[in-house]
Amino acid sequence: MKTASRPRDPRLDFFRGIAMFIIFIAHLPANGWALWIPARFGFSDATEIFVFCSGMASAIAFGRVFELHGLVMGSARVLYRVWQVYWAHICLFLAVAGMLAFLQINGWTSDDYVGKLNLWHFFEDPIFQLPGLLTLTYVPNYFDILPMYLVILAMLPVIMIAYYKAGRGAVAAIIIAFWLIATFRLVDFPAEPWSDRRWFFNPFAWQLLFFTGFAFIKGWIPAPPVKKRLLFLSASIIILTIPFAYFRILNEVPELRRIANDISDLTVKSEMGLLRYIHFLALAYVAWVAVGEGGQRLLMGGFGGKVVRVIKKVGQQSLAVFLASLILAQGIAIFRDELGLRGTVTGGIMANLLGFAGLIAVAYTVAWFKGEPWRKPKEKPSS
């Protein structure tokens, strides 16, 4: 007998959708709108949303497999997803690199877009860089999220084995130990063979956030109560962070910039600094309270409800949308620049709205294909 599927949590889809739009804004070159994304006003940004929600989604998608079919089948299901993400990363790199090379060699661009992504090493010496690409020892910064994500996914069977064999305490000990190892930079992955640059996102640090989301869905960490003092504390953390993150304030107040530099080890992005983690949890709590129990405020009707449904659809297809966003960001930026609209208000509006439309189109198209409409019986015309 087929088990009933678990209903989708509107909060998960909504916030993943929001993250996809913010990630596009951040990746669009020379984008003035990037001055207004959350990363400019706090320590955490859309990457944290993506990783945290991915942890929650993984608990839903894979946790049930472990429960019903055991560790072997659960691990196999996770490794299959790792395989998919690995090839998604390889194809993404080839698609972006190929697009930029095609436009450049045909004289359709007036700028060195290949060089801007630091990809000339790949084209000039592919016999050495191709093995690096396939072994993930060559990871340009623009392509660094998916390698981090697949390593964290590969850790999931280890976490589940620890949980079933020794309980939540062992899980917490492993997660914290890996984070501490990464924090003190005792383990890293090389990002390119010609320098000592490492992966921008250290997966052994970012797994802390991923498994926090995973643990909330699994019930290993109880949901926090809705209390005014917790809401006040979270809001205070968010507000007090702004002076140490907002570049305009830092440029005007050297004392604050000095403090920001002094605490940089606690706010660093690569190793998921402690203050960065705390800032994201504060944001997540405020957002969790704002949407209401079970995300009931996201179930509104009218125009607002239509907008929310579109954002949720984007969040439901987050991997496909993420891949498309990196390709769209480069292609739209080139189109904008060749029109002479770089740095203009018109160019900013056009580029961002084109990108948003592209993300939405990808989400609905992928959802249509996943629905396998060709399997549905053809409706007979009414008499």
Side-chain angles (χ1 to χ4, degrees):
M1 184 176 71
K2 187 177 180 179
T3 58
S5 60
R6 178 173 178 168
R8 298 191 72 96
D9 190 319
R11 296 169 294 186
L12 178 58
D13 292 335
F14 177 77
F15 288 115
R16 279 203 298 185
I18 291 292
M20 291 301 102
F21 287 109
I22 297 174
I23 287 173
F24 171 79
I25 293 172
H27 282 107
L28 181 66
N31 187 9
W33 289 25
L35 297 176
W36 304 100
I37 60 177
R40 301 294 173 263
F41 302 94
F43 299 141
S44 63
D45 57 28
T47 310
E48 279 81 358
I49 303 175
F50 177 77
V51 173
F52 183 77
C53 290
S54 295
M56 298 174 73
S58 295
I60 297 171
F62 309 130
R64 188 70 171 160
V65 180
F66 280 100
E67 292 171 5
L68 293 177
H69 302 288
L71 289 171
V72 174
M73 293 304 295
S75 299
R77 176 67 183 91
V78 171
L79 292 177
Y80 177 63
R81 185 58 170 173
V82 170
W83 179 250
Q84 291 177 314
V85 174
Y86 170 80
W87 285 110
H89 165 71
I90 300 299
C91 291
L92 172 67
F93 176 89
L94 294 177
V96 173
M99 177 186 71
L100 296 181
F102 175 81
L103 295 175
Q104 204 152 316
I105 64 177
N106 284 284
W108 292 359
T109 64
S110 56
D111 210 341
D112 181 13
Y113 292 97
V114 172
K116 286 184 176 181
L117 288 187
N118 195 26
L119 301 183
W120 277 117
H121 286 281
F122 179 78
F123 288 106
E124 291 172 348
D125 203 4
I127 196 170
F128 288 105
Q129 306 318 330
L130 185 58
L133 175 68
L134 295 174
T135 58
L136 302 181
T137 55
Y138 171 51
V139 181
N141 276 342
Y142 191 69
F143 306 92
D144 46 21
I145 292 182
L146 291 183
M148 174 261 291
Y149 177 47
L150 68 86
V151 171
I152 295 174
L153 278 179
M155 293 177 62
L156 212 165
V158 176
I159 295 299
M160 295 305 297
I161 291 171
Y163 173 71
Y164 285 120
K165 300 297 184 182
R168 290 181 293 180
V171 170
I174 291 173
I175 292 170
I176 294 173
F178 272 118
W179 177 73
L180 288 173
I181 289 171
T183 296
F184 291 102
R185 295 166 188 164
L186 300 177
V187 61
D188 246 326
F189 292 111
E192 54 193 25
W194 60 85
S195 77
D196 59 357
R197 186 174 69 84
R198 302 294 172 174
W199 284 16
F200 183 76
F201 294 106
N202 189 321
F204 297 115
W206 280 77
Q207 55 83 31
L208 173 68
L209 191 59
F210 178 93
F211 287 115
T212 300
F214 188 91
F216 272 121
I217 293 297
K218 292 292 292 180
W220 299 348
I221 301 175
V226 179
K227 292 188 176 181
K228 288 184 178 179
R229 65 172 178 269
L230 280 178
L231 189 59
F232 176 79
L233 175 62
S234 298
S236 299
I237 291 172
I238 296 168
I239 294 170
L240 291 173
T241 296
I242 294 174
F244 302 100
Y246 188 43
F247 69 97
R248 287 193 171 94
I249 296 177
L250 293 175
N251 289 341
E252 295 296 328
V253 186
E255 292 79 9
L256 290 178
R257 179 172 289 280
R258 193 175 304 114
I259 295 173
N261 291 334
D262 291 340
I263 63 173
S264 60
D265 286 342
L266 299 175
T267 62
V268 63
K269 190 169 185 176
S270 294
E271 285 80 31
M272 178 52 63
L274 182 60
L275 290 182
R276 193 178 192 90
Y277 178 71
I278 292 172
H279 179 264
F280 174 77
L281 292 183
L283 272 175
Y285 181 76
V286 171
W288 184 71
V289 173
V291 298
E293 185 177 354
Q296 59 184 358
R297 295 193 181 96
L298 298 175
L299 305 176
M300 64 186 81
F303 177 75
K306 292 179 181 178
V307 172
V308 168
R309 284 195 293 274
V310 170
I311 294 173
K312 285 162 55 181
K313 181 65 71 175
V314 170
Q316 289 168 10
Q317 311 300 335
S318 57
L319 179 58
V321 170
F322 174 77
L323 297 172
S325 73
L326 298 191
I327 299 172
L328 285 170
Q330 292 298 309
I332 290 173
I334 293 172
F335 178 64
R336 176 204 61 199
D337 295 353
E338 295 306 307
L339 290 177
L341 297 176
R342 183 187 180 109
T344 66
V345 174
T346 302
I349 294 173
M350 179 203 71
N352 285 283
L353 293 186
L354 272 178
F356 293 171
L359 301 187
I360 294 167
V362 167
Y364 277 91
T365 301
V366 171
W368 184 82
F369 276 106
K370 284 185 175 180
E372 298 183 338
W374 49 84
R375 292 182 178 271
K376 298 176 182 178
K378 186 176 181 181
E379 294 183 3
K380 295 181 179 180
S382 57
S383 58

